[in-house]
Amino acid sequence: MRAMNYRGPRRVRVEEKPIPTILHPRDAIVRVTRSCICGSDLHLYHGMVPDTRVGMTFGHEFCGVVEEVGPGVENLQRGDHVLVPFNIACGQCHFCKQGLFGNCHESNPGATAVGAIFGYSHTAGGYDGGQAEYVRVPYADFGPTKIPDWMDPDDAVLLTDVVPTGYQAAEMGGIQKGDTVVVFGAGPVGLLAARCAWLFGAGRVIVIDHVEYRLDFARTYCPAEVYDFREIGDPVVFLKKATGGLGADVCIDAVGGDASGNGWHTVFGKKLKLEAGNAVPLHWCINSVKKGGVVSIVGVYGPTGNMIPIGNVVNKGITIRANQASVKRLLPRLIDHVQAGRIDPKAIITHRVPLEDVAEAYHLFSAKRDGCIKPVLLPNAA
């Protein structure tokens, strides 16, 4: 089969790899019909995530057709079109029973924090991902969800990660009716977090970024007030003034360690890697939120330490909530939102690219060229 192959930071290409096979009774083999490049994939692409090994296939956002199932899978059959959550979750462990599917204890037993994720380095289990023609799906009797007949596959593939992650970012904020919500980052997750904030009753939504076309998109898609942090001076001071001196009720970090906006953090976090990426959006969240407010973190940071103002967290009485989205828990309500038209996932797709051109797609997305918001890869086997 043809599959994306990681060759080192900023080097990816498509090569021949063996078609995966059933290794466990609960496995399925899925022929990929659509996969996405996620902003989180760019952390891998840029060399920001430890133990990302040469030869790995990325891709944790994909949907496809079931080609084969193991003897332990009774709820799927050949020909079913399924969306596959980015979490690899067993559905039976201590954490899965609590609905914490992003923290499954069985799929990634070598880790003390995150569960397994498709195509996301050996810190997340070392499983190959869906930027390929075929993928092995463990725990297929639990994770994959059949795509409703009425649903556009372009919507379905975005329900594997970006929509649930944006929705959970808003959910973790504990948004109350009339709250002011600030989202740092106008990438796909930030856009969905801002849009979903309205579903929880937000009275005002603000998006901060520095890429003009992404801010323009956020202005209409979310819809939200948008500001370029390069033009407003100190974002913390600006947001305090914009909220009557109190600060926002909820701040969402939808960026993570690949952020821009502070030279010191860029050098220490992205160049020297002395902290787990550029943590400036987390600083801005902590310092912009009101006393007693909530900071919600869905941006990806590495597993090493970050220099953050923990004293401000304590002295302001801030609640911090963070996790990988538990996709399976959220899917029923998200499918309802899509069917009702309250969320329009496919509207963020700007580029559809053949899998063979994956290197160009990564460059396009990473360099923020051609108005790229969300690229979808189409394998030949689709």
Side-chain angles (χ1 to χ4, degrees), residues 20-24 27-30 118 127-128 134-138:
T21 58
I22 298 290
L23 300 179
H24 186 276
D27 284 354
I29 305 301
V30 170
F118 286 101
Y127 297 83
D128 272 339
Y134 297 88
V135 62
R136 179 177 76 93
V137 177

Side-chain angles (χ1 to χ4, degrees), residues 128-337:
D128 272 339
Q131 293 173 10
E133 292 184 307
Y134 297 88
V135 62
R136 179 177 76 93
V137 177
Y139 308 112
D141 56 332
F142 178 73
T145 296
K146 294 178 186 178
I147 300 172
D149 292 338
W150 55 264
M151 183 176 285
D152 189 319
D154 283 346
D155 286 323
V157 72
L158 296 179
L159 288 177
T160 62
D161 177 11
V162 63
V163 177
T165 298
Y167 185 92
Q168 185 166 307
E171 179 189 62
M172 291 190 302
I175 298 168
Q176 302 298 310
K177 185 176 178 61
D179 275 357
T180 294
V181 179
V182 177
V183 179
F184 290 94
V189 169
L191 293 170
L192 266 300
R195 188 175 179 101
C196 290
W198 297 112
L199 300 179
F200 289 92
R204 184 183 185 189
V205 178
I206 299 170
V207 174
I208 306 291
D209 201 289
H210 72 293
V211 180
E212 184 176 352
Y213 76 81
R214 300 207 308 186
L215 290 170
D216 287 342
F217 195 94
R219 184 181 288 110
T220 56
Y221 177 77
C222 296
E225 299 175 45
V226 302
Y227 299 99
D228 185 335
F229 64 70
R230 300 170 303 178
E231 298 177 355
I232 59 176
D234 185 334
V236 174
V237 173
F238 175 84
L239 289 168
K240 285 289 184 66
K241 290 180 178 178
T243 54
L246 297 178
D249 299 287
V250 178
C251 284
I252 296 173
D253 177 357
V255 186
D258 248 341
S260 302
N262 182 288
W264 189 85
H265 278 290
T266 297
V267 171
F268 275 77
K270 296 174 70 173
K271 304 295 184 184
L272 300 178
K273 296 183 173 62
L274 296 177
E275 61 173 336
N278 184 339
V280 68
L282 188 49
H283 279 253
W284 288 345
C285 282
I286 290 169
N287 293 323
S288 299
V289 78
K290 72 178 185 181
K291 298 172 186 177
V294 179
V295 170
S296 172
I297 308 169
V298 291
V300 173
Y301 292 93
T304 53
N306 283 87
M307 293 175 275
I308 61 171
I310 193 67
N312 289 0
V313 174
V314 174
N315 292 325
K316 292 177 69 176
I318 295 170
T319 297
I320 293 181
R321 299 192 65 193
N323 206 350
Q324 301 287 345
S326 292
V327 176
K328 191 74 175 180
R329 175 179 67 84
L330 298 171
L331 276 178
R333 74 191 73 170
L334 292 176
I335 289 171
D336 285 345
H337 283 315

